Amino acid sequence: MTEYVIILISTVLVNNFVLVKFLGLCPFMGVSKKTDTALGMGLATTFVLTLSSVMSYLLYTYLLVPFELEYLKTIGFILSIAAVVGFTEMAIHKTSPALYQVLGIYLPLITTNCAVLGVALLNIGEDHNFIESAFYGFGAAVGFTLAMVLFSSIRERVDAGDVPAPFKGAPIALITAGLMSLAFMGFGGLVQ
Amino acid sequence: MSTNSLRNRLIKLIAPLYPMAKRWLYHFHGGVFPQYNKSLSLRQPLRSGFMPKQLILPLQQHMGIPAVPCVQIGDRVKKYQLIAQADKGLSVPVHAPTSGTIIALDQRVLPHASGLAEPCIVIAPDGKDDALTNPLNLQQPPQTIAEFKQLLLNAGIVGMGGAGFPTFAKLPNQPGLVQHLIINGAECEPFITCDDVLMQTHADDIIRAALFIADLFAIPHVVCGIETNKPEAIKAMRQACQGSNIEVVEVATVYPMGGQKQLTQELVNIEIPTQKHSVDVGVVMMNVATLRAITQAIDLGQPLVSRFVTVSGMGLTQPFNIDALLGTPFNELVELAQPQPKLDYPLLMGGPMMGFAVAQNDVPVIKTTNCVLANPPQEMQDPMACIRCGECAEACPINLLPQQLYWHAKAHEFEKAEQLNLFDCIECGCCSFVCPSRIPLVQYYRHAKAEVRELKAQAALTEQAKQRHDARIARLEREKQEREAKMAAKKAAVKQQAEDAENTVKPNNEDNAPMSARDKAIQAAKARQQAIKTQAEQPVVDKRQAAMEAAKARIAAKKAAETTTEPTTRPGAEQTTTELTVEDKRKAAMEAAKARAAAKKATETTSEPTTRPDAEQTTTELTVEDKRKAAMEAAKARAAAKKQQDSSP
Amino acid sequence: MSIVAGLLIFFALAVVFGLLLGYAAVRFKIEGNPLAELIDKKLPQTQCGQCGYPGCKPYAEALAKGEAEVNLCIPGGEPTMLEIAEILQVEPKPMDAEATAPKPRMVAVIDEDICIGCVLCIKACPVDAIVGTTKMMHTVIEKECTGCELCVPVCPVDCIDMVIEKTSLKNWKWPEPTVAAETQK
């Protein structure tokens, strides 16, 4: 049980995919203007990440390895991720058209979100079993959502404040992201 | 008691070192300690009997709906006479403060932050001060709550502390709902001493009204809160309370102790929940001036026509308190206090914390004017950027987050400001007072409140417009269907008729069998008649249908008129179609010509010139085939013209 | 062997995912157009038809289908255009010069001395805010009027004027204080 907790803490805080590993940065910057959308994106990514992490594991362990087709893992993973994203897209379009519109292009872009493929590949690299893979994917997604929501909250407040003209918009957002990354580095001593 | 006084003494000892230690003296959060300057206006004795050159009485001196004037220009009025009646709803009447003549009923600038001009009654006093006897027609003090509330309404009494909420509307309708009656004598704004003087001079009146209300509404607990900086008033009030169960409590001198929520919390330890009125938690608070007005109404039957006003400020050499008639212009009062330097700056109504500069200095004293302040303008320093020191949050007596509210108000994120309980803000000005960057925070909140209100009103209007539009579309659809049903029924009837006729005369009409010209003409005429009828009934929508019908009729008529050569045009022959004389053929031809003329006209009015030559061509050559075409063309053109006419506005 | 296995596996995967997505397409089929509702909420509901559609709802529907430009709503002005552009995720388009700012609330007022009672304005009003009947004087119910101006051109005697709502104590607003950062410059 402890190892699962450690995996969770490690992925959410210590090795946060966005702020420490620099994976999945494009939605992190792209849809973090409002907390609502950031949360929506976080939830969509959580769903995709967890599911694709599990599916990639199953695909790799039960189909590719027995037939010695490991060299096809990348294309196989991308295929399964694309299917999950397609499914998620339709589900969101049905359940929350407003969120669907707001997420816009970033929703299909989850397909090529490096965090998603990264989790799938890292699972294999670290020899995770089925449950570990699920936890790893879920933890990564929670970390992603956490970073998104925190960052969007900061951005909302920064937008209302007096930002010097040259820093308005993307520069201040990137500076904020840098400072957040700095803060997350502080979790480095938590595990190990 | 002794531990309490020991604690107070200890706090006073610390205060010079740590000024905010004074915040431990009371129960609510925040609060500030401005320079009070109350002694200025207490040096002079209370003045009264000042009669200005004219009295300006706004129809709206209270919160709610303006009163309705019931006098004419030139009318002579006596003191206490009703000059404007309360309107329906939340409204109170206005009475004449002295005898005189109504000289104007027009728009005058109000003592309001907007500086707007609103309807006022202007009285020129005659100096005699003739008073009506028993103006409110009071036989005995009111016995029931309903009578009492009616009396309050008739006397025009509103909350005189500043809000101006009609007093009758503030009280419950049955006894037993209120546990605490709080007499508000805190008077926490700097400079203002009118309530202080009132308590010193009319303590008996205040207590009598309080006891009367406590009795009528069965209120078990009556308490009066007075700030410690008014020892004279406390003494006078304690004396007046002797023998009754009214408790006079000294409360700490802090701004805004006189706020309803603050004093309630201080005296009875009840916090009024957000979006609720004090009466919901069993508390009624009355200002001492309001209570005195009530005494005047129940004892003497006098309406509210005067009030105590503090005339003070750093620009006056002889500041004073005065029992001023309502409607007295500010500048006349200020001149009495010998302004130094000359009065060339805007006066303030109210204290320095919550007051506002008036647009013109000749605005009148109204029921809510507690102070006229003449502070010469000081060098205003520009506001600077917020440094996030958090002093405002420390000072806020409502425990709001002024800085957050400020960010949202400034960024026009009004919804978020509303979520942070913007509407609980009492606009006391503590946050602006402590702000080291001199940001006019309260202004931002006032603006944000107004914006939120407007957005809500707008949303309501939008919703209403949408509903009405939908209702209209539904109605039009229904009407159209009804009309179509009617039309169909009529058509069926006509067809039936025609078939009957054919069956009797010639059964094989459909096969273009030869038919007498007369019969055909009859049929055509019938159809036309039908068309005209429907046209008259449904002028706009069915014109097209009627035109089609007419076109069909014309085709038939043309067939009948095969033998005629050139149709002579004879405009003005309108009714001939209904008659059936021997000249059928000719008439039918005439009809065809008319149709062509109409078609020409129609093509002329349309912006498409291409159809015109066609129409002209058809008028020159007149073979049977062409005629038919022309008629078709004409009908089409007319339909198009009509369509265009209908669609273009 | 392994090539055949690979082909088979990926073929099977393609079939499985295809079936999954096909099922999702049926399961999550969108009925109606929820976007139109969303846009309709943002429109000012004056029903003025200045966009070329017979009311706000049809315009919203056209927008949702992508058949209309985002900058057609004159009464809503630029703020509405920006909101629509945000919902639709399209580039904002500049408004016509005179329509950049939303107009102040206007209401139609019929000069009752001139009115001949032709009922033309009653037919034109999209929200039924004009009362009256043939040969009788008409009047506008002020609180229902959306200020769409549709009644103005149809009046044969030009007796309808658009007036800006007067500021009174009821609708007066505290002005916004000048922004601190601006005074600093």
Coordinates of all heavy atoms in Angstrom, one line a residue, chain B residues 232-272:
Chain B
E232 N -21.9 64.6 28.7 CA -23.1 65.4 29.0 C -24.4 64.6 28.6 O -25.4 64.6 29.3 CB -23.1 66.7 28.3 CG -21.9 67.6 28.7 CD -22.2 68.2 30.1 OE1 -23.3 68.6 30.4 OE2 -21.2 68.1 31.0
A233 N -24.4 64.1 27.4 CA -25.5 63.4 26.9 C -25.8 62.2 27.7 O -27.0 61.9 28.0 CB -25.3 63.1 25.4
I234 N -24.8 61.5 28.1 CA -25.0 60.3 28.9 C -25.6 60.6 30.2 O -26.6 60.0 30.6 CB -23.6 59.6 29.1 CG1 -23.0 59.1 27.8 CG2 -23.7 58.4 30.1 CD1 -21.6 58.6 27.9
K235 N -25.2 61.7 30.8 CA -25.7 62.1 32.0 C -27.2 62.5 31.9 O -28.1 62.0 32.6 CB -25.0 63.4 32.6 CG -24.8 63.4 34.1 CD -23.8 64.5 34.5 CE -24.6 65.8 34.7 NZ -23.7 66.9 34.9
A236 N -27.5 63.3 30.9 CA -28.9 63.7 30.6 C -29.8 62.5 30.4 O -30.9 62.4 30.9 CB -29.0 64.7 29.5
M237 N -29.3 61.6 29.6 CA -30.1 60.4 29.2 C -30.3 59.5 30.4 O -31.4 59.0 30.7 CB -29.5 59.6 28.1 CG -29.5 60.3 26.8 SD -31.1 60.4 26.1 CE -31.3 58.8 25.4
R238 N -29.3 59.4 31.3 CA -29.4 58.5 32.5 C -30.4 59.1 33.4 O -31.2 58.4 34.0 CB -28.0 58.4 33.2 CG -27.1 57.5 32.4 CD -26.3 56.6 33.4 NE -25.7 55.5 32.6 CZ -24.4 55.4 32.5 NH1 -23.5 56.2 33.1 NH2 -23.9 54.3 31.8
Q239 N -30.4 60.4 33.4 CA -31.4 61.1 34.3 C -32.8 60.8 33.8 O -33.7 60.5 34.6 CB -31.1 62.6 34.3 CG -31.5 63.2 35.6 CD -30.9 64.6 35.8 OE1 -30.1 65.1 34.9 NE2 -31.1 65.2 36.9
A240 N -33.0 61.0 32.5 CA -34.3 60.8 31.9 C -34.8 59.4 32.1 O -36.0 59.1 32.1 CB -34.3 61.2 30.5
C241 N -33.9 58.4 32.1 CA -34.2 57.0 32.2 C -34.6 56.5 33.6 O -35.0 55.4 33.8 CB -33.1 56.1 31.7 SG -32.9 56.2 30.0
Q242 N -34.3 57.4 34.6 CA -34.6 57.0 35.9 C -36.0 56.5 36.1 O -36.9 57.2 35.7 CB -34.2 58.1 36.9 CG -32.8 57.9 37.4 CD -32.3 59.1 38.2 OE1 -33.1 60.0 38.5 NE2 -31.0 59.1 38.5
G243 N -36.2 55.4 36.8 CA -37.5 54.9 37.0 C -38.0 54.0 35.9 O -39.0 53.4 36.1
S244 N -37.3 54.0 34.8 CA -37.7 53.1 33.7 C -36.7 52.0 33.6 O -35.6 52.0 34.3 CB -37.8 53.8 32.4 OG -36.5 54.2 32.0
N245 N -37.0 51.0 32.8 CA -36.0 49.9 32.7 C -35.0 50.1 31.5 O -34.4 49.1 31.0 CB -36.7 48.5 32.7 CG -37.6 48.4 31.5 OD1 -37.8 49.4 30.8 ND2 -38.2 47.3 31.2
I246 N -35.0 51.3 31.0 CA -34.1 51.5 29.9 C -32.7 51.6 30.4 O -32.4 52.3 31.4 CB -34.5 52.8 29.1 CG1 -35.9 52.7 28.5 CG2 -33.5 53.1 28.0 CD1 -36.3 53.9 27.8
E247 N -31.8 51.0 29.7 CA -30.4 50.9 30.1 C -29.6 51.9 29.2 O -29.7 51.8 28.0 CB -29.9 49.5 29.9 CG -28.6 49.1 30.5 CD -28.2 47.7 30.1 OE1 -29.0 47.0 29.5 OE2 -27.0 47.4 30.3
V248 N -28.8 52.8 29.8 CA -28.0 53.6 29.0 C -26.5 53.1 29.0 O -26.0 53.0 30.1 CB -28.0 55.1 29.4 CG1 -27.0 55.9 28.6 CG2 -29.4 55.6 29.3
V249 N -26.0 52.7 27.9 CA -24.7 52.0 27.9 C -23.7 52.9 27.2 O -23.9 53.4 26.1 CB -24.7 50.7 27.2 CG1 -23.4 50.0 27.2 CG2 -25.8 49.8 27.8
E250 N -22.5 53.1 27.9 CA -21.4 53.8 27.3 C -20.7 52.9 26.4 O -20.4 51.8 26.8 CB -20.4 54.3 28.4 CG -20.8 55.5 29.1 CD -19.7 55.9 30.1 OE1 -18.6 56.1 29.6 OE2 -19.9 55.9 31.3
V251 N -20.5 53.3 25.1 CA -19.8 52.4 24.2 C -18.5 53.1 23.8 O -18.4 54.4 23.9 CB -20.7 52.1 22.9 CG1 -21.8 51.2 23.3 CG2 -21.2 53.3 22.2
A252 N -17.6 52.3 23.4 CA -16.3 52.9 23.0 C -16.4 53.9 21.9 O -17.3 53.8 21.0 CB -15.3 51.8 22.6
T253 N -15.5 54.9 21.9 CA -15.5 55.9 20.9 C -14.7 55.4 19.7 O -13.5 55.4 19.7 CB -14.9 57.2 21.4 OG1 -15.6 57.6 22.5 CG2 -15.0 58.3 20.3
V254 N -15.4 54.9 18.7 CA -14.7 54.4 17.5 C -15.6 54.5 16.3 O -16.9 54.4 16.5 CB -14.3 52.9 17.7 CG1 -15.5 52.0 18.0 CG2 -13.6 52.4 16.5
Y255 N -15.0 54.9 15.2 CA -15.9 54.9 14.0 C -15.8 53.6 13.4 O -14.8 52.9 13.3 CB -15.3 56.0 13.0 CG -16.0 56.1 11.8 CD1 -17.1 56.9 11.7 CD2 -15.7 55.3 10.7 CE1 -17.9 57.0 10.6 CE2 -16.4 55.4 9.5 CZ -17.5 56.3 9.5 OH -18.3 56.3 8.3
P256 N -16.9 53.0 12.9 CA -18.3 53.4 12.9 C -19.2 52.8 13.9 O -20.0 51.9 13.6 CB -18.7 53.0 11.5 CG -18.0 51.7 11.3 CD -16.8 51.7 12.1
M257 N -19.0 53.2 15.2 CA -19.9 52.6 16.2 C -21.3 52.8 16.0 O -22.2 52.0 16.4 CB -19.4 53.2 17.6 CG -20.2 52.7 18.8 SD -20.1 50.9 19.0 CE -18.6 50.8 20.0
G258 N -21.7 54.0 15.3 CA -23.1 54.3 15.1 C -23.8 53.5 14.0 O -25.0 53.6 13.8
G259 N -23.0 52.7 13.3 CA -23.6 51.8 12.2 C -24.5 50.8 12.8 O -24.3 50.3 13.9
Q260 N -25.6 50.5 12.1 CA -26.6 49.6 12.7 C -26.0 48.3 13.1 O -26.2 47.8 14.2 CB -27.7 49.4 11.7 CG -28.8 48.4 12.1 CD -30.0 48.5 11.3 OE1 -30.9 49.3 11.5 NE2 -30.1 47.6 10.3
K261 N -25.3 47.7 12.2 CA -24.7 46.3 12.4 C -23.8 46.4 13.6 O -23.7 45.5 14.4 CB -24.0 45.8 11.2 CG -25.0 45.5 10.1 CD -24.3 45.1 8.8 CE -25.3 44.9 7.7 NZ -24.6 44.4 6.5
Q262 N -23.0 47.5 13.7 CA -21.9 47.5 14.7 C -22.5 47.8 16.1 O -22.2 47.1 17.0 CB -21.0 48.7 14.4 CG -20.0 48.4 13.3 CD -20.7 48.3 11.9 OE1 -21.6 49.1 11.6 NE2 -20.3 47.3 11.1
L263 N -23.5 48.7 16.2 CA -24.0 49.0 17.5 C -24.9 47.8 18.0 O -24.9 47.5 19.2 CB -24.9 50.3 17.4 CG -25.2 50.9 18.8 CD1 -24.0 51.3 19.5 CD2 -26.1 52.1 18.6
T264 N -25.5 47.1 17.1 CA -26.3 45.9 17.5 C -25.3 44.9 18.0 O -25.6 44.3 19.1 CB -27.0 45.3 16.2 OG1 -27.8 46.3 15.7 CG2 -27.9 44.2 16.6
Q265 N -24.2 44.7 17.4 CA -23.3 43.7 17.9 C -22.7 44.1 19.2 O -22.5 43.3 20.1 CB -22.2 43.5 16.8 CG -21.4 42.2 17.0 CD -20.4 42.0 16.0 OE1 -20.3 42.7 14.9 NE2 -19.4 41.1 16.2
E266 N -22.5 45.4 19.4 CA -21.8 45.9 20.6 C -22.8 45.8 21.8 O -22.4 45.4 22.9 CB -21.5 47.4 20.4 CG -20.7 48.0 21.5 CD -19.3 47.4 21.7 OE1 -18.8 46.8 20.7 OE2 -18.8 47.6 22.8
L267 N -24.1 46.1 21.5 CA -25.0 46.2 22.7 C -25.7 44.9 23.0 O -25.9 44.6 24.2 CB -26.0 47.3 22.4 CG -25.5 48.8 22.4 CD1 -26.6 49.7 22.0 CD2 -24.9 49.1 23.8
V268 N -26.1 44.2 22.0 CA -26.9 43.0 22.3 C -26.2 41.7 21.8 O -26.7 40.6 21.9 CB -28.3 43.0 21.7 CG1 -29.1 44.1 22.4 CG2 -28.3 43.2 20.2
N269 N -25.0 41.9 21.3 CA -24.2 40.8 20.8 C -24.9 39.9 19.8 O -24.8 38.7 19.9 CB -23.7 40.0 22.0 CG -22.4 39.2 21.7 OD1 -21.8 39.5 20.7 ND2 -22.1 38.3 22.5
I270 N -25.5 40.6 18.8 CA -26.1 39.8 17.7 C -25.5 40.3 16.5 O -25.5 41.5 16.2 CB -27.7 40.0 17.7 CG1 -28.3 39.4 18.9 CG2 -28.3 39.4 16.4 CD1 -29.8 39.7 19.0
E271 N -25.0 39.4 15.6 CA -24.5 39.8 14.3 C -25.7 39.7 13.3 O -26.3 38.6 13.2 CB -23.4 39.0 13.9 CG -22.0 39.6 14.2 CD -20.9 38.9 13.5 OE1 -20.6 39.2 12.4 OE2 -20.3 38.0 14.2
I272 N -26.0 40.8 12.6 CA -27.0 40.7 11.6 C -26.5 39.9 10.4 O -25.5 40.3 9.8 CB -27.5 42.1 11.2 CG1 -28.0 42.8 12.5 CG2 -28.6 42.0 10.2 CD1 -28.3 44.3 12.3

